[in-house]
Amino acid sequence: MNPNVHVKIVEDTLSENVTQLLQQLNPSIAVEIIKKRQAEMFQYPNYICFGLYIDHKLIGITCAWIMTRIYCGKQIEIDNVILDDKHQSKGYGNILLDFIENWAKENQCETIELNTYVQNSRSHKFYFLKNYNILGFHFQKKLNK
């Protein structure tokens, strides 16, 4: 493992590097739409972005909502966990999630939650190994404009 690996909160959340990583996870969404949604999401004060860096080069991100819910208390819900394709399966995902777990504890979060696509079985195995449990189903209804 490279000793120059570190995780920190991303300050420039609208950078091309962040957009490119979001595009890797969401290839069917046009870049213009991703950029528009990025700009909207990062206006919320409870939405932050963690970046995983090797030698100061961004290779992974996950964003997170901080909220309180009745059933679980204060939580961090991680969103868009992405590692650049060239850096997957090398232990970097563990570094990123371990950092977030420690950050969550330091910020008095009681739980961590996330959604993952049903067809992404590699991620399911990863989250099970990290002691995440499936709580339910995530439903969605598309609304007409």
Side-chain angles (χ1 to χ4, degrees):
M1 188 72 61
N2 187 327
N4 295 319
V5 174
H6 65 281
V7 180
K8 66 179 183 177
I9 292 177
V10 176
E11 299 296 330
D12 186 7
T13 55
L14 302 178
S15 75
E16 282 301 313
N17 292 335
V18 172
T19 303
Q20 288 171 356
L21 288 168
L22 290 167
Q23 181 72 42
Q24 280 187 25
L25 185 65
N26 303 281
S28 64
I29 300 174
V31 173
E32 298 77 30
I33 293 173
I34 289 174
K35 287 181 179 184
K36 179 182 180 287
R37 290 177 180 169
Q38 268 178 281
E40 288 178 26
M41 291 163 69
F42 289 111
Q43 288 181 18
Y44 294 108
N46 63 331
Y47 196 69
I48 57 176
C49 183
F50 297 94
L52 176 68
Y53 297 82
I54 297 178
D55 297 322
H56 306 289
K57 181 182 185 319
L58 184 67
I59 65 147
I61 62 167
T62 188
C63 301
W65 301 95
I66 309 300
M67 65 192 82
T68 301
R69 293 185 171 177
I70 296 297
Y71 73 92
C72 64
K74 185 176 180 183
Q75 77 166 196
I76 182 169
E77 182 177 334
I78 55 178
D79 186 28
N80 296 308
V81 179
I82 310 160
L83 284 177
D84 185 276
D85 295 338
K86 297 180 289 277
H87 297 284
Q88 292 181 2
S89 299
K90 296 180 181 177
Y92 295 124
N94 282 313
I95 293 170
L96 182 59
L97 285 195
D98 290 348
F99 179 91
I100 291 168
E101 184 174 331
N102 289 327
W103 186 95
K105 288 176 183 176
E106 289 170 7
N107 286 276
Q108 293 74 48
C109 292
E110 298 174 60
T111 60
I112 300 174
E113 288 193 15
L114 61 93
N115 290 308
T116 182
Y117 294 121
V118 174
Q119 68 274 17
N120 191 349
S121 58
R122 269 183 74 204
S123 74
H124 304 162
K125 181 180 176 184
F126 175 73
Y127 294 123
F128 284 134
L129 289 172
K130 299 294 288 174
N131 295 316
Y132 285 76
N133 298 304
I134 297 174
L135 296 183
F137 295 99
H138 179 91
F139 289 88
Q140 180 186 66
K141 178 180 181 179
K142 296 243 180 187
L143 303 175
N144 296 331
K145 289 189 177 194

